Each structure stands twice: as structure tokens, then as C-alpha cells.
């Protein structure tokens, strides 16, 4: 039997089973490859990119759902509910997919790297550089999910196994246990630095490029830069330097405000701000509904999608912090451009087509926690009353121009809310649909997940500058992003007393629904509290030291691993 080059490490080393006499998708006979490498590297590399399409879905869910930008209408039997509830288990099918597809991409990229010699041509080396980028990216996304935040003892905490390619002997195989977090980051930096060196051609935003490698290195070093109170200035400086390379290259441009509000509708190839995105096309989904794509959980568009997850009240409050965003069709006014990705489902009267005007606020009670109230209102001159149950309340003006009012409720508490149209409910929750992961090319829930974009790089540099004590430079970068979204909304000062709050808030607003939020909180030593309507535990603060901030290694991976694969602590 000829030696075969297999491009799925999970398949060939026991993380999943296969018949080694076969040539699976993404693998070719080594003799054929060696005879004419240029003829085959393209198809092999395409197979590596194909793994990213499968990986991107579970990557998004375990990254975004563990944060505080979204809520779900109720408990779910789907494995992703563990990400929301923090009820971690090792037998989670979606985590297993995230692990498997990530390591398949690592294996395929590694085998290409190991198979071909460098120096054949600029085009050939560029393809090898793409493999280094993909491998480094996969290790980074895996270690931040399965390994503890870098500032917490990286030399002793475990990261992920480093297995760079299919070993020669797949029969008598003994793979290494997990490397430390420090060693995993060293591998990431080595791969991305090699990618930066080899990537001399730019084939567009859906392929790895020098800019993509530099952008991800700016984030990697930011993750290594410690916390605001105990920064690692060496890594913060490197985060600045790599952000400088991307920003100063001139290869990317921030979209103007009006275009940015339609960011999700542009294909990544035609978006000047996108640095690298995982390209998806409609034909990759079953049928045309995209129910099982990421966006299908956040919205129902034209009858397509589950529409079971909504923008959290916490995120909406952040959007409204500098002025009310009014989504009513007859009064549409967006203060913060990021609010354009939220679409409440206003109900019309079936006969008249009219909206029902309500006073919406969030109440809190000891038994049921936080929940929305939408109380129909009556206007009598300047006096506005609302009715909830058997009670009628007179509202007090807070800001008449923005139609913000307060209510002295029957529980003897005063709540603030807004006059709005009635939003349809799913169970008991108003549907604040999220469209940031939908409508690419205006095609329902089609979405190409963004890995890096220029907006993030400015925020990376702002945070790194702040950790270096360069608050003037940090303020400049922060305001580049803030004033793009909020006209005349720039901060006038930034210092040690407010930098962490303002920069983290801007990252939350800007990078919402891009699978960044929970990692941003915990890598800086913060805590996550989700005191807003929804079935999540509303009273709990999840500390960065909590064992649940990272995921268990999938039990299926441990069971089939040829060697020791140490599980994460259970408490």
C-alpha cells in the first residue's frame, strides 16, 4: 500500500475512526503530489478552508452565547444551552464539533506544510503561508476556549495538544498531552509570524493575507497583555506594533457610518473594513431557510429562522446610553450606529394595521427576577397613563423629547422606561431581533463570519496603549471607533480611573455577535453578570477565576485519544 497523506488528524489518529486504506476527502496519494505539487496544492488548500466553514458555527455559539449581549426565550434541550447556562459538561456535541473541526483544519494545514518545500515561487510560498495562518488561528481559538486566560499562570495551566500533522506511524501512535497555555501561545505566535513572512500576495478578504496574520497577532498579544491593573507591557507593546502594521498599511478602511450600519449585508470580498472572513454561500445550507445557520437563531426574516435569541436588555441599555435609539417605523432614529443591527418585531392590528402604543419597562421581583412589562398607554393632553393588570399608573416625564418616562409601580419601586409600540412576544419576551449575522447579499440568514476587521484593530491598539499608560493615544483610537457610531459622541478624557470601563464598553458595543465578548471579560480578570430578563441565572456573577469560564475537553476526544488527554478541572 502506498503511503497516503491524510488531511484529518481526528480521523487518522483515533479522534474519530476511518479506514486507512481509503483516500478521504482532502487527501491525496503522496507520490502524485510530489510529482506535480502545483497541480495539487490548490485543491488541498481549498479542503483546509472548507474545514473553517464547519468550524465557524460552533465557534460562534460557544464564544457568543456565554456572554451578555444576548438572551434566549427559554431553556433548550440543544447542547448550546450549556454555553448560556454555564452548566458545563464534557458530553456536549457542539463542543465536540468545535474541537474536531478545529483539529481537522490544523491537520490539513500541517500536512500541506510538511509535504511541500518552501521557495518554489512567491505564489507557492503564499499558499504555505495561508496554511500557517489557519493553523495559528485554530490553535488560538481552541486555547481561549479550553485553556484558562493567559494572565492566570500560563506556564502551569493547560492549553491544548500541539499535533502538527499526521504522524508517520498511525498504528503505534502515542500523542502528547496538552501543552501549557504558554507553550500553546508560543506555537500560535510562531505560526502567525511565519504566515506574516510568507504571505506576500493579497487574494482578497476571504483568504489569509499578511494583514490577516498581523491583525490576529495584535489580538493574540492583547490576550497576553495581562489585565488593566497588572499589565504585561512587553506584550501590550507588541499588540500596538502589530495593530500599527495593519492600520498603517492602508489596505483596509473603516466604513463610513451609513455604510457601517449595513455591514452585515456586504459580501466580505466587497467590504473594505473586513480583513479576513470565513466565506459562506447559500448553497452550503440545506434548502433556502438557513434555519441552522447562526443568524437563524437570532431572527426570523421572511418566515426563515427560529428567532429564539434576542439582544439582551443590558446590550440595549448600552446602545441607548448616549441617547435613545428609536426603532419605530414612523420615528426611526438611530443614535448609535450599532443599533442598526437590532430589529424589534412591532405588532400591527390585523384589521387596521395600527400599532399599539405601550410603556415598556423592566421590573424586578424576588420570585421571578427581571422581566419586561409592556403596558398600553392612554394620552390625555400632556398626561400619559398606562394600565398593567388592574392598576392604572400616571407616568412621570424623564425626557419628553426622547419619550422616556418613569413609573411608581405597585411594588413601591420606581422604574424608567420608554413609550414605544408593542413588540410581539416569544413566550414572555419582546423579540429584539439581531441581524448582524444575517442578510449578507440580502439573502436571508446568509453570513460569512468575520475573524478580523479594522474596527477591532483600533480597539486592540486603544486597549494596549491604555495598558502602557499612553492614555492620549488610547483616547484617539477609542474615539475613532466611537465617533463613527455616535456623531459627536467622542470621550473628552481617558485615564487610569475610566480607561478599562470605557474601552471594554466600546469593545462590547462594536464586537457584539462576533464571538468575542465572554473572552474579553475573562482575559482581563473581569466578571460576568447577566441581571436582565431571560432564563439565565440573573443573580450570579461569574468570576474570571471560576472553573466554568473554560469548556471541558470533549469526552469523545479523550476516549479516542491515543495517549493521555487531561480533562479540565470540574470545580
Amino acid at each position: 500500500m502506498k503511503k497516503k497523506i491524510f488531511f484529518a488528524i481526528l480521523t487518522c489518529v483515533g479522534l474519530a475512526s476511518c479506514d486507512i486504506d481509503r483516500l478521504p476527502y482532502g487527501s491525496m496519494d503522496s507520490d502524485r503530489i510530489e510529482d506535480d505539487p502545483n497541480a495539487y496544492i490548490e485543491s488541498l488548500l481549498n479542503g483546509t478552508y472548507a474545514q473553517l466553514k464547519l468550524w465557524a458555527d460552533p465557534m460562534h455559539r460557544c464564544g457568543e452565547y456565554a456572554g451578555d449581549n444576548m438572551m434566549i426565550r427559554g431553556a433548550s434541550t440543544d447542547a448550546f444551552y450549556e454555553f448560556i447556562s454555564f452548566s458545563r459538561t464534557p458530553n456536549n456535541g457542539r463542543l465536540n464539533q468545535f474541537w474536531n473541526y478545529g483539529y481537522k483544519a490544523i491537520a490539513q494545514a500541517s500536512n500541506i506544510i510538511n509535504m511541500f518545500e518552501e521557495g518554489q515561487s512567491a505564489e507557492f510560498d503564499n499558499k504555505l503561508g495561508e496554511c500557517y495562518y489557519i493553523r495559528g488561528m485554530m490553535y488560538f481559538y481552541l486555547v481561549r476556549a479550553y485553556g484558562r486566560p493567559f494572565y492566570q499562570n500560563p506556564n502551569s495551566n493547560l492549553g491544548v495538544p500541539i499535533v502538527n500533522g499526521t504522524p508517520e506511524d498511525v498504528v503505534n501512535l502515542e500523542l502528547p498531552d496538552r501543552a501549557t497555555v504558554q507553550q500553546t501561545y508560543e506555537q500560535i505566535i510562531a505560526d502567525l509570524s511565519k504566515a506574516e513572512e510568507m504571505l506576500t500576495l493579497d487574494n482578497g478578504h476571504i483568504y489569509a493575507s499578511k494583514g490577516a496574520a498581523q491583525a490576529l497577532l495584535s489580538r493574540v498579544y492583547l490576550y497576553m497583555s495581562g489585565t488593566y491593573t497588572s499589565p504585561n507591557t512587553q506584550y501590550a507593546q507588541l499588540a500596538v506594533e502589530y495593530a500599527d502594521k495593519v492600520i498603517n498599511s492602508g489596505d483596509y478602511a473603516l466604513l463610513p457610518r451609513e455604510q457601517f450600519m449595513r455591514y452585515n449585508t456586504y459580501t466580505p470580498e466587497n467590504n473594505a473594513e473586513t480583513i479576513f472572513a470565513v466565506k459562506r454561500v447559500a448553497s452550503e445550507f440545506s434548502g433556502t431557510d438557513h434555519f441552522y445557520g447562526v443568524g437563524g437563531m437570532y431572527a426570523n426574516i421572511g418566515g426563515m429562522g427560529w428567532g429564539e435569541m434576542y439582544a439582551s436588555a443590558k446590550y440595549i441599555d448600552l446602545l441607548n446610553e448616549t441617547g435613545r435609539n428609536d426603532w419605530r417605523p414612523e420615528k426611526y432614529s438611530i443614535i448609535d450606529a450599532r443599533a442598526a443591527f437590532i430589529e424589534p418585531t412591532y405588532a400591527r392590528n390585523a384589521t387596521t394595521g395600527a400599532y399599539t402604543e405601550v410603556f415598556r419597562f423592566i421590573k424586578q421581583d424576588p420570585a421571578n427576577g427581571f422581566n419586561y412589562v409592556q403596558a398600553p398607554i392612554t394620552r390625555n393632553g400632556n398626561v400619559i397613563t398606562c394600565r398593567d393588570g388592574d392598576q392604572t399608573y400616571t407616568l412621570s416625564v424623564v425626557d419628553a423629547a426622547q419619550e422616556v418616562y418613569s413609573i411608581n409601580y405597585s411594588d413601591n419601586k420606581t422604574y424608567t422606561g420608554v413609550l414605544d409600540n408593542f413588540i410581539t412576544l416569544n413566550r414572555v419576551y419582546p423579540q429584539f431581533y439581531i441581524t448582524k449575522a444575517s442578510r449578507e447579499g440580502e439573502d436571508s440568514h446568509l453570513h460569512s463570519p468575520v475573524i478580523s476587521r479594522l474596527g477591532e484593530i483600533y480597539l486592540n491598539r486603544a486597549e494596549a496603549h491604555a495598558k502602557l499608560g499612553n492614555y492620549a493615544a488610547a483616547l484617539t483610537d477609542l474615539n475613532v471607533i466611537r465617533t463613527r457610531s455616535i456623531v459627536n459622541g467622542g470621550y473628552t478624557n481617558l485615564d487610569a480611573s475610566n480607561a478599562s470601563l470605557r474601552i471594554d464598553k466600546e469593545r462590547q458595543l462594536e464586537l457584539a455577535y462576533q464571538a468575542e465578548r465572554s473572552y474579553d471579560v475573562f482575559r482581563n480578570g473581569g466578571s460576568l453578570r447577566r441581571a436582565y430578563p431571560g432564563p439565565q441565572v440573573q443573580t450570579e456573577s461569574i468570576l474570571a477565576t471560576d472553573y466554568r469560564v473554560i469548556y471541558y475537553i470533549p469526552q469523545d476526544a479523550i476516549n479516542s485519544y491515543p495517549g493521555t488527554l487531561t480533562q479540565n478541572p470540574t470545580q
Side-chain angles (χ1 to χ4, degrees):
M1 180 183 75
K2 291 183 178 181
K3 181 178 77 170
K4 306 294 192 280
I5 302 298
F6 295 95
F7 290 81
I9 195 167
L10 306 185
T11 304
C12 297
V13 301
L15 301 182
S17 62
C18 81
D19 179 348
I20 63 171
D21 290 323
R22 297 179 180 177
L23 286 170
Y25 174 75
S27 69
M28 293 183 180
D29 187 287
S30 60
D31 291 346
R32 290 163 56 196
I33 294 173
E34 289 166 353
D35 289 342
D36 191 359
N38 285 294
Y40 293 112
I41 191 172
E42 185 75 28
S43 60
L44 296 174
L45 183 56
N46 286 341
T48 309
Y49 278 107
Q51 293 298 336
L52 303 187
K53 299 173 186 287
L54 300 169
W55 160 86
D57 182 280
M59 176 277 291
H60 177 97
R61 297 181 196 274
C62 69
E64 189 63 45
Y65 294 0
D68 53 3
N69 296 325
M70 49 74 64
M71 58 154 290
I72 189 171
R73 67 172 190 169
S76 174
T77 57
D78 193 294
F80 66 56
Y81 190 68
E82 290 184 8
F83 309 156
I84 300 169
S85 65
F86 278 79
S87 55
R88 305 295 188 233
T89 72
N91 297 307
N92 185 298
R94 290 189 182 272
L95 276 183
N96 200 44
Q97 291 173 344
F98 177 56
W99 177 277
N100 284 350
Y101 294 136
Y103 270 103
K104 285 180 180 180
I106 288 170
Q108 294 188 199
S110 296
N111 285 332
I112 295 172
I113 291 167
N114 296 338
M115 188 67 184
F116 298 109
E117 295 291 333
E118 296 178 24
Q120 299 188 42
S121 68
E123 183 177 5
F124 199 91
D125 280 1
N126 200 82
K127 289 180 170 59
L128 293 178
E130 291 177 69
C131 292
Y132 279 107
Y133 171 82
I134 290 170
R135 189 170 74 183
M137 178 176 70
M138 289 298 98
Y139 277 129
F140 173 67
Y141 275 82
L142 286 165
V143 76
R144 73 176 190 171
Y146 296 107
R148 296 207 66 81
F150 189 86
Y151 82 92
Q152 298 175 8
N153 303 314
N155 288 307
S156 56
N157 286 330
L158 294 180
V160 296
I162 297 174
V163 187
N164 292 335
T166 304
E168 290 291 322
D169 186 354
V170 297
V171 177
N172 304 301
L173 196 60
E174 184 78 13
L175 291 180
D177 197 357
R178 297 164 65 188
T180 64
V181 168
Q182 177 73 44
Q183 290 167 335
T184 308
Y185 271 82
E186 289 170 358
Q187 174 70 48
I188 294 163
I189 291 168
D191 280 342
L192 294 177
S193 298
K194 184 68 172 177
E196 180 190 16
E197 171 193 332
M198 299 189 75
L199 288 164
T200 59
L201 307 176
D202 189 347
N203 296 315
H205 305 163
I206 62 174
Y207 298 98
S209 64
K210 184 182 294 292
Q214 293 167 341
L216 196 52
L217 278 165
S218 80
R219 193 195 309 170
V220 169
Y221 283 122
L222 193 69
Y223 271 58
M224 300 172 74
S225 68
T227 66
Y228 287 98
T229 56
S230 184
N232 184 311
T233 56
Q234 174 190 355
Y235 293 134
Q237 182 59 44
L238 285 166
V240 168
E241 291 174 9
Y242 274 96
D244 283 344
K245 290 182 179 184
V246 177
I247 293 168
N248 297 336
S249 72
D251 293 334
Y252 313 99
L254 293 175
L255 296 185
R257 185 178 193 271
E258 294 302 317
Q259 291 183 28
F260 174 68
M261 291 164 68
R262 290 179 51 80
Y263 198 106
N264 55 311
T265 68
Y266 300 121
T267 60
E269 302 97 314
N270 298 304
N271 191 323
E273 186 167 334
T274 296
I275 299 172
F276 178 68
V278 178
K279 176 64 176 177
R280 304 302 303 270
V281 295
S283 61
E284 294 166 357
F285 295 86
S286 59
T288 59
D289 57 22
H290 302 176
F291 266 59
Y292 295 96
V294 167
M297 286 304 298
Y298 291 140
N300 180 294
I301 299 173
M304 301 177 187
W306 301 105
E308 296 181 3
M309 294 180 178
Y310 317 121
S312 70
K314 180 176 183 177
Y315 188 69
I316 292 170
D317 283 346
L318 281 180
L319 289 172
N320 289 331
E321 194 174 73
T322 53
R324 178 188 178 184
N325 296 281
D326 197 336
W327 291 285
R328 288 175 290 185
E330 71 277 16
K331 296 186 177 183
Y332 193 76
S333 176
I334 297 299
I335 302 301
D336 189 321
R338 278 90 48 128
F341 305 121
I342 310 300
E343 295 184 7
T345 58
Y346 291 119
R348 287 180 179 269
N349 183 283
T351 302
T352 66
Y355 297 106
T356 299
E357 199 172 15
V358 299
F359 176 62
R360 188 175 56 257
F361 64 98
I362 295 173
K363 68 174 182 179
Q364 180 184 16
D365 64 67
N368 300 308
F370 294 96
N371 209 343
Y372 286 98
V373 175
Q374 297 192 100
I377 70 164
T378 300
R379 296 177 182 268
N380 186 5
N382 293 326
V383 177
I384 300 176
T385 59
C386 71
R387 187 167 182 82
D388 183 41
D390 296 330
Q391 298 271 2
T392 298
Y393 303 91
T394 299
L395 303 181
S396 299
V397 175
V398 175
D399 185 329
Q402 297 189 80
E403 296 192 297
V404 179
Y405 289 79
S406 67
I407 184 173
N408 294 319
Y409 201 59
S410 58
D411 59 3
N412 295 319
K413 296 177 182 177
T414 299
Y415 300 107
T416 299
V418 295
L419 301 186
D420 203 354
N421 298 332
F422 181 84
I423 299 174
T424 53
L425 303 178
N426 195 330
R427 297 187 180 171
V428 297
Y429 302 114
Q431 298 179 138
F432 286 94
Y433 280 169
I434 301 158
T435 60
K436 197 175 185 181
S438 301
R439 290 208 174 107
E440 183 178 314
E442 302 294 347
D443 190 0
S444 181
H445 294 296
L446 184 60
H447 172 61
S448 295
V450 175
I451 301 300
S452 296
R453 60 181 176 88
L454 189 58
E456 179 212 341
I457 309 308
Y458 276 100
L459 292 172
N460 290 353
R461 195 168 69 175
E463 180 179 330
H465 274 312
K467 288 177 176 176
L468 291 167
N470 299 331
Y471 294 111
L475 177 63
T476 298
D477 282 338
L478 188 63
N479 278 342
V480 166
I481 299 304
R482 186 163 178 83
T483 57
R484 192 253 300 261
S485 285
I486 306 171
V487 177
N488 298 321
Y491 293 115
T492 58
N493 67 84
L494 199 74
D495 55 38
S497 69
N498 59 25
S500 62
L501 176 64
R502 290 181 172 178
I503 293 170
D504 287 356
K505 178 174 67 178
E506 211 59 34
R507 287 187 73 90
Q508 181 173 7
L509 284 165
E510 184 75 11
L511 304 180
Y513 317 114
Q514 290 180 214
E516 298 295 328
R517 172 60 180 165
S518 61
Y519 302 119
D520 275 347
V521 171
F522 298 133
R523 68 175 175 81
N524 269 319
S527 60
L528 193 71
R529 184 175 175 84
R530 297 174 295 171
Y532 51 78
Q536 77 283 347
V537 180
Q538 300 177 5
T539 56
E540 181 179 34
S541 289
I542 300 165
L543 304 179
T545 53
D546 195 300
Y547 75 97
R548 295 170 298 169
V549 305
I550 57 175
Y551 294 107
Y552 288 124
I553 304 299
Q555 192 61 44
D556 284 352
I558 292 175
N559 292 344
S560 58
Y561 195 75
T564 299
L565 185 57
T566 302
Q567 183 57 278
N568 278 322
T570 57
Q571 60 181 358

